[in-house]
Amino acid sequence: MAANDYYAQQPLPNPTAPQQSGYNTGYAPSTYSAAPPSYHSQQNLAAGDRPPANKHSSPFETVFDDHVYPASTHQTPSSSQHQLSQQDTGYHSLARVPSEEMAYNHPTDDIPLQNQNSSHKDAEIQDHVYDAPQRKKSRKVRFGELGMLGATDTKRIPFVVYIFTLAQVAVFIAELVKNGMATGSPIMIKPSFNPMIGPSPYILINMGARYVPCMHNTKGVQDHVGTIAWPCPNTTSLDAGTESCTLSQLCGFGGVPEPFYNNTNSVLAMQQSPEPNQWFRFIVPMFLHAGIIHIGFNMLLQLTIGREMEQAIGSIRFFLVYVSSGIFGFVLGGNFAATGIASTGASGSLFGVIALTLLDLLYSWKDRRSPVKDLMFIALDVIISFVLGLLPGLDNFSHIGGFLMGLALGICVLHSPNALRRRIGEDVPYAQVNNGYLTQGAPPSFIKNPIGFFKGRKPLWWAWWLVRAGALVLVTVVFILLLRNFYTFHQACDWCKYLSCINVNGWCDIGNLQITEAQNTSPKRDLFAQTLRDVVNAKSVQI
């Protein structure tokens, strides 16, 4: 409390003024008239400050009394003391209240020796209590963090990641149970050991892995001369003659039309109708995995990068990218991968998420602490994954397809690049706009007002949306063409196989349908590819 607050609790009577009964609650009498209030006092009152109590001049008032000298005063103590002798510097207002009831001090006034030499600009800022808060400069984003303006919302629950993870783990447990019931062991140990520590490929095919002979007419199957003995889901022997099933039994899910076989006209054989058409094998494999190592790496990536990405862009956008990347990867592999490979896993979907992470890095390049180093880490991760996809039995086309789809859809669903958003005036965080902050000037919602959403947009905004529309149209056209080629044209690519294999020791031939004369040799079944025997002509069909 200032000195005059303590001693001025009872006003000193003025002998020249008429005596008042009680407190003075009306206008000030003429004998108490003084100079008009200072500009600083008027400004505080206009800004909504609570006026201090009325006080009379007192011999106890000092040059450090904050109520006598406003904070914006630039005078020295000597000049201020001279001013005190010339005029009454007490606060005068139209509606006075008793000092006992209005003993109000500003928090800054409680310090008697506060600095009185603050600049006029600082005083103006302090007086305006309704000044809009200044937007802080965004901090630099470190590696592993998302840099999209206003995109990260850690309060969101990543429903898609959690639901897909639970479903994939449950399906993998079902794989182990089914393999144990069929072969006597939850993991494949006969006729060879599964290095992924999981079920046999025949169980995976029977449970919905992408397997081309179960999906359409396949060259080497429909036009094969002689009956093919397909392996059974419970196969544990290298001898195809002892345990053989039909293609319908291997594929499961109600079966598929059996190939005609023995058709000498290969053109007519490939036009068999009805043909196998288990189209859902483009979707179901996202929930299947080849072993504990396979699902372990995928779930680790999904619960880290995938979870953060879903929290950043929302569950709907993440669902679209995740599912579309997985399906596109299996479609691309169905066209160009080896026809006998049983492809499973969520790797294509996760490569789509990695593509989103790369786009986020490029979109927030200037906001990163070390963007080049971050780019090197992501590029190294992608290169290692693609190199591992060149090993035998792995479908690298699913990785490539998922990554390309992630890039295309990422351009469509992610926020605009940070630099572009600043130029077109969209640097207000989306999450804050949705929560009610900084709504002034924000565009209306597209769902609530589709026409108003596009009004007043800048040319750069329209140009970027044309890029987004072009990416969506391009990936849609490519997807349709791949489906047409898979089901109708069956056009192969001779060099495309080298995107998924290294031409060493015949690795690029593993998984392809090859009919060879082997009447006196025992066929072998690879981990991811099956060797079938032509029972009639004693020929082996290696897949």
Side-chain angles (χ1 to χ4, degrees), residues 75-76 80 83 99 101-102 133 160 178 180 240 264 288 291 300 327 334 353 361 404 422 434-435 452-453 481 524:
Q75 298 174 348
T76 61
S80 301
Q83 182 181 4
S99 59
E101 298 177 6
M102 290 290 291
V160 175
K178 186 170 183 177
T264 57
L288 298 170
L300 178 63
I327 295 176
V353 177
L361 170 62
L404 294 178
R422 294 188 181 102
N434 293 333
N435 291 334
F453 178 79
L481 291 178
K524 296 182 179 180

Side-chain angles (χ1 to χ4, degrees), residues 297-299 301-302 306 322 325-326 346-355:
F297 277 106
N298 281 357
M299 295 303 100
L301 184 63
Q302 185 165 291
Y322 187 94
S325 299
S347 300
S349 301
L350 295 177
F351 266 86
V353 177
I354 294 176

Side-chain angles (χ1 to χ4, degrees), residues 62-64 69-70 72-84 116-117:
T62 66
V63 294
F64 303 107
Y69 299 97
S72 61
T73 304
H74 298 277
Q75 298 174 348
T76 61
S78 58
S79 62
S80 301
Q81 189 173 7
H82 177 72
Q83 182 181 4
L84 175 63
Q116 302 292 331
N117 295 326

Side-chain angles (χ1 to χ4, degrees), residues 4 104 140 142 173 182 259 272 308 378 413 432 444 459 481 504 526 538:
N4 64 321
Y104 177 82
K140 292 293 184 179
R142 297 176 296 178
I173 294 175
Q272 173 183 328
E308 294 176 357
I378 296 178
V413 304
Q432 290 186 1
L481 291 178
V504 178
D526 184 74

Side-chain angles (χ1 to χ4, degrees), residues 17-271:
Q19 297 295 327
Q20 300 287 339
S21 61
Y23 298 108
N24 181 11
T25 57
Y27 295 100
S30 59
T31 56
Y32 283 82
S33 62
S38 63
Y39 170 77
H40 182 75
S41 300
Q42 294 177 358
Q43 188 179 26
N44 281 341
L45 185 60
D49 289 348
R50 187 178 182 183
N54 179 36
K55 300 177 180 65
H56 299 280
S57 299
S58 170
F60 297 101
E61 292 175 339
T62 66
V63 294
F64 303 107
D65 190 342
D66 294 331
H67 291 290
V68 178
Y69 299 97
S72 61
T73 304
H74 298 277
Q75 298 174 348
T76 61
S78 58
S79 62
S80 301
Q81 189 173 7
H82 177 72
Q83 182 181 4
L84 175 63
S85 62
Q86 297 294 331
Q87 63 179 357
D88 179 14
T89 56
Y91 185 89
H92 295 273
S93 62
L94 298 179
R96 295 187 178 184
V97 293
S99 59
E100 292 83 358
E101 298 177 6
M102 290 290 291
Y104 177 82
N105 294 327
H106 290 281
T108 57
D109 294 340
D110 290 338
I111 305 176
L113 296 179
Q114 72 179 30
N115 185 11
Q116 302 292 331
N117 295 326
S118 60
S119 64
H120 181 71
K121 180 178 180 180
D122 294 338
E124 293 293 328
I125 295 178
Q126 294 177 0
D127 290 340
H128 289 284
V129 296
Y130 294 112
D131 284 345
Q134 300 294 327
R135 185 172 65 88
K136 296 182 180 180
K137 184 179 181 180
S138 59
R139 65 179 180 87
K140 292 293 184 179
V141 183
R142 297 176 296 178
F143 177 72
E145 296 181 346
L146 296 173
M148 292 175 287
L149 287 177
T152 304
D153 186 0
T154 56
K155 295 182 180 180
R156 290 177 178 170
I157 300 177
F159 291 104
V160 175
V161 168
Y162 290 157
I163 293 175
F164 272 69
T165 301
L166 290 176
Q168 288 159 349
V169 172
V171 172
F172 181 71
I173 294 175
E175 295 175 21
L176 299 180
V177 172
K178 186 170 183 177
N179 195 85
M181 296 176 60
T183 65
S185 173
I187 62 175
M188 181 182 181
I189 56 177
K190 296 179 181 180
S192 60
F193 178 73
N194 183 352
M196 292 290 181
I197 312 178
S200 69
Y202 319 123
I203 291 292
L204 295 176
I205 294 174
N206 192 253
M207 294 186 66
R210 193 207 66 202
Y211 191 59
V212 174
C214 300
M215 304 178 71
H216 67 63
N217 293 335
T218 306
K219 188 174 180 59
V221 176
Q222 267 69 25
D223 59 350
H224 180 62
V225 178
T227 303
I228 298 177
W230 297 90
C232 298
N234 60 350
T235 297
T236 57
S237 173
L238 291 175
D239 190 357
T242 57
E243 299 178 3
S244 61
C245 291
T246 63
L247 179 61
S248 181
Q249 291 172 329
L250 175 63
C251 295
F253 295 98
V256 296
E258 280 296 311
F260 289 161
Y261 301 126
N262 296 320
N263 194 334
T264 57
N265 191 332
S266 60
V267 177
L268 294 178
M270 291 299 296
Q271 296 177 357

Side-chain angles (χ1 to χ4, degrees), residues 27 37 92 181 281 300 379 397 416 422-423 457 482 506 524 528:
Y27 295 100
H92 295 273
M181 296 176 60
R281 291 180 182 270
L300 178 63
F397 288 100
S416 305
R422 294 188 181 102
R423 292 191 62 182
R457 297 292 188 175
L482 288 175
K524 296 182 179 180
F528 295 94

